[in-house]
Amino acid sequence: MPKEVADKAPKGYVKTLSALGQTFQVYVHSYLGYGLMAARAQMLGEALPAALRGSCFATGVKGTYSYAGKSYEYAGVHGAAEAEDKSDAKSEEGREKEKSDKPGCSELGVKALKKEQDCGVKRELAACSFAGAWRGHAKIVEEEYYVSSYFFDRAVDAGIITDKNAAQWIVTPKAFQDAAAVTCAAGSTLTDLTKKYPNVATEQLPFFCMDLSYCAALLLEGFALPADRNVTLVKQVSYHGKMIEAAWPLGAALNELGGM
C-alpha cells in the first residue's frame, strides 16, 4: 500500500517486507474465525431462530457440525413454502426470484460477519471491513481484488467456473449471490442437490447453500464490493515460468526466494 496510507494505519496492520529486491508496505490482518469451515460454525452459532439457520439446509437434512472442539446441530426447514411455490402456475424464473428475495441463509451470512463492530478509524479517512477490522484507505474498494482458496473451489462446484483446468477466473460477487439463490432454492431435498451438483463431495453437499451464501455475503457486505465488480479467482499464479498453488504461505515463500 502507499506509504502515506501505511503511515496512518492503526497499529498492527502494516508490515514492511522485502521481496525480489524491493521493499513493500504490506497490509497484514488475519480474519481468524472467518474462513469457510470457521464461518459455518459462526453461522450455526448465531443466536437466531432455528428457522433462519435451517434455511441453509435441505428438507430432511439434519446433523451435527464440529469445529474447534464445539458441536453445532443443524436441520433443514425447506418444505412447505417450496411445495406451495412448485404447485403455483408461476414460471420457474419467477419462483427463483421470489425465493432469492426472501431473507434466509444469505441474511445469516451477513449477521455472522458482525459488520456493526467499529474498526476505530474515522470512516471518511479509512474503510472498515467486518468484525472490527480496518481494511485500508477509504477508496480501497476501487483496487483490484484477487480471491483464492475456498472461493475458487466453490465456484468450480457451482459451475461459475466452467473450465476445471483454469488457474484464474474473473467473476463478480453477483455470480456467487445468484448461485447461492439457485442452490438454496434447489435444495428442497438432498436428492435434488445431488442431482443438480453431482460433482460436489457428499460430505460437503449439505453445506453447499450455506457456503455459497457466505461467499456472497463476504464479498458484498464484508468487503462492500459492488455486485457487478470484477474480482479474479486464483488457483495458481505464474512465478518464473512455473505455476504455483495460491495459498497463504505463498508470500512468505516469495520473500525467502527473493533473498536467494
Side-chain angles (χ1 to χ4, degrees), residues 48-103:
L48 296 168
L52 186 57
R53 294 195 300 275
S55 65
C56 296
F57 301 96
T59 301
V61 170
K62 60 173 60 177
T64 302
Y65 179 70
S66 297
Y67 181 81
K70 293 184 178 180
S71 296
Y72 307 86
E73 293 185 357
Y74 61 85
V77 295
H78 288 289
E82 302 268 346
E84 182 180 345
D85 280 344
K86 287 181 179 178
S87 65
D88 200 302
K90 297 171 185 171
S91 68
E92 181 177 350
E93 181 180 355
R95 289 197 303 268
E96 297 299 335
K97 184 176 190 308
E98 279 194 2
K99 290 170 187 173
S100 66
D101 288 343
K102 296 175 183 176

Side-chain angles (χ1 to χ4, degrees), residues 123-168:
R123 291 182 180 269
E124 63 268 22
L125 301 177
C128 300
S129 55
F130 58 92
W134 176 75
R135 61 181 294 205
H137 56 86
K139 294 186 178 181
I140 191 70
V141 72
E142 299 174 6
E143 302 289 346
E144 192 169 359
Y145 279 77
Y146 291 84
V147 186
S148 62
S149 188
Y150 56 84
F151 279 91
F152 196 99
D153 298 335
R154 291 299 175 268
V156 170
D157 292 339
I160 297 172
I161 295 176
T162 55
D163 180 1
K164 293 184 179 180
N165 295 317
Q168 299 184 5

Side-chain angles (χ1 to χ4, degrees), residues 32-240:
L32 185 64
Y34 290 92
L36 191 62
M37 301 298 109
R40 291 177 182 176
Q42 290 269 12
M43 294 169 76
L44 290 171
E46 284 289 314
L48 296 168
L52 186 57
R53 294 195 300 275
S55 65
C56 296
F57 301 96
T59 301
V61 170
K62 60 173 60 177
T64 302
Y65 179 70
S66 297
Y67 181 81
K70 293 184 178 180
S71 296
Y72 307 86
E73 293 185 357
Y74 61 85
V77 295
H78 288 289
E82 302 268 346
E84 182 180 345
D85 280 344
K86 287 181 179 178
S87 65
D88 200 302
K90 297 171 185 171
S91 68
E92 181 177 350
E93 181 180 355
R95 289 197 303 268
E96 297 299 335
K97 184 176 190 308
E98 279 194 2
K99 290 170 187 173
S100 66
D101 288 343
K102 296 175 183 176
C105 199
S106 59
E107 179 183 340
L108 191 62
V110 173
K111 288 183 178 296
L113 294 174
K114 299 177 175 60
K115 284 279 292 181
E116 72 279 1
Q117 292 185 10
D118 191 76
C119 65
V121 180
K122 291 183 179 180
R123 291 182 180 269
E124 63 268 22
L125 301 177
C128 300
S129 55
F130 58 92
W134 176 75
R135 61 181 294 205
H137 56 86
K139 294 186 178 181
I140 191 70
V141 72
E142 299 174 6
E143 302 289 346
E144 192 169 359
Y145 279 77
Y146 291 84
V147 186
S148 62
S149 188
Y150 56 84
F151 279 91
F152 196 99
D153 298 335
R154 291 299 175 268
V156 170
D157 292 339
I160 297 172
I161 295 176
T162 55
D163 180 1
K164 293 184 179 180
N165 295 317
Q168 299 184 5
W169 199 267
I170 295 176
V171 301
T172 64
K174 189 176 185 300
F176 282 99
Q177 186 181 45
D178 290 346
V182 171
T183 303
C184 296
S188 54
T189 68
L190 194 58
T191 300
D192 293 337
L193 282 177
T194 301
K195 290 179 179 178
K196 190 170 183 63
Y197 304 104
N199 297 322
V200 178
T202 302
E203 67 274 14
Q204 302 297 339
L205 198 57
F207 300 98
F208 199 39
C209 164
M210 174 175 275
D211 292 349
L212 289 172
S213 295
Y214 179 68
C215 288
L218 194 60
L219 295 174
L220 290 166
E221 300 293 336
F223 292 108
L225 297 180
D228 60 352
R229 171 66 186 276
N230 283 345
V231 298
T232 303
L233 301 181
V234 181
K235 182 72 171 179
Q236 295 177 317
V237 295
S238 178
Y239 180 72
H240 286 193

